[in-house]
Amino acid sequence: AEQHGFVPVIRLSHEFAYYDEDMSKEIANPWEYYFEMWDDSIDEKKALNVCYSNYLHRDSMRARLNLSPYRMENYYARTITELCLPIIRKYMRLKPSIINSSFEILAEVTEKGGKILGVHYRGTDYKQQFNGHPIFVEEEQIIDEIRNAMNSIKFDAVFVATDDSNICDRIRKEVIGIPILIHSDVFRSSGNVSIAFSDNNRKFHHYLLGYEIARDMYTLSLCDGLVAGKSSVGFLSNLYKQSRNEKYEYMHIIDNGNNSNDNEYFKES
């Protein structure tokens, strides 16, 4: 948009995965559930020239840039970071509530000068092995990589971000002698269906699902090391960290390859 002289405006609809009917009574634009608007004075309805984005624009950008968290080289490519970091700094400023909660869970360790290993484990629908998605990381793999990280650098705590309820207990049981930090209010599942499509009777459930993912991502970005499989959460945590001119002291992305099959995520009816 900037390259063509347009001012970017993001407005999400009820089709957004974390659209919440109750939250939208308070905040009409779901983008603003989690992000601060960079210019509240913009009203595209009063603009002389407006270009509405569509899937063609998204697909053309993907084809030209291969901007995907499922490509291992993108975690280290300078061209990707040079492209993304100015956009994150200017347009993707998270709400203070997300940032403050991220700092709070790590404060007891960081205030003593301790180092924290961030771990992201993607479960649920990854187990279904959808075409093009990363091949599922087994529990044993992530635990082995946590141990490898701790043998490389002295970490004083481990922060775990996950949508999978089983791995939390497994890490506590097998990674002994170091505090395990977890946001305790996160909605998790032991099944193989994405929590994005879950229902629950807690107030603002769908809003909270998005809030918890954004908070996990940002908390990971505050850690000193990162162990993760390929996913948007780990990918963005690395970019947010670099957007603050910081780098992980230790980073290992587990790459089992990507699935190649006929099991499509969105099947035609």
Side-chain angles (χ1 to χ4, degrees), residues 227-245:
V227 169
K230 295 184 296 186
S231 82
S232 297
V233 173
F235 185 67
L236 278 169
S237 70
N238 185 30
L239 289 175
Y240 265 87
K241 190 166 193 70
Q242 292 183 72
S243 75
R244 301 192 304 269
N245 297 316

Side-chain angles (χ1 to χ4, degrees), residues 117-152:
L117 174 65
V119 175
H120 180 241
Y121 183 77
R122 182 76 159 79
T124 62
D125 58 333
Y126 264 31
K127 300 172 187 176
Q128 295 193 48
Q129 302 178 13
F130 290 114
N131 182 43
H133 282 207
I135 294 173
F136 181 63
V137 173
E138 300 290 344
E139 292 181 5
E140 290 76 12
Q141 274 186 287
I142 199 76
I143 290 169
D144 284 346
E145 292 303 336
I146 293 172
R147 291 178 177 140
N148 288 340
M150 293 172 65
N151 288 332
S152 300

Side-chain angles (χ1 to χ4, degrees), residues 10 12 16 27 29-38 40 87-88 90-98 207 210 214 217-218 236 240:
I10 299 177
L12 302 178
F16 174 53
I27 302 175
N29 178 11
W31 173 260
E32 295 179 70
Y33 292 174
Y34 314 111
F35 297 94
E36 295 186 321
M37 290 298 287
W38 45 92
D40 290 330
I87 294 172
I88 288 175
K90 186 173 182 180
Y91 296 115
M92 299 180 68
R93 301 194 302 268
L94 288 162
K95 289 284 186 77
S97 60
I98 295 173
Y207 153 76
M217 180 280 297
Y218 196 78
L236 278 169
Y240 265 87

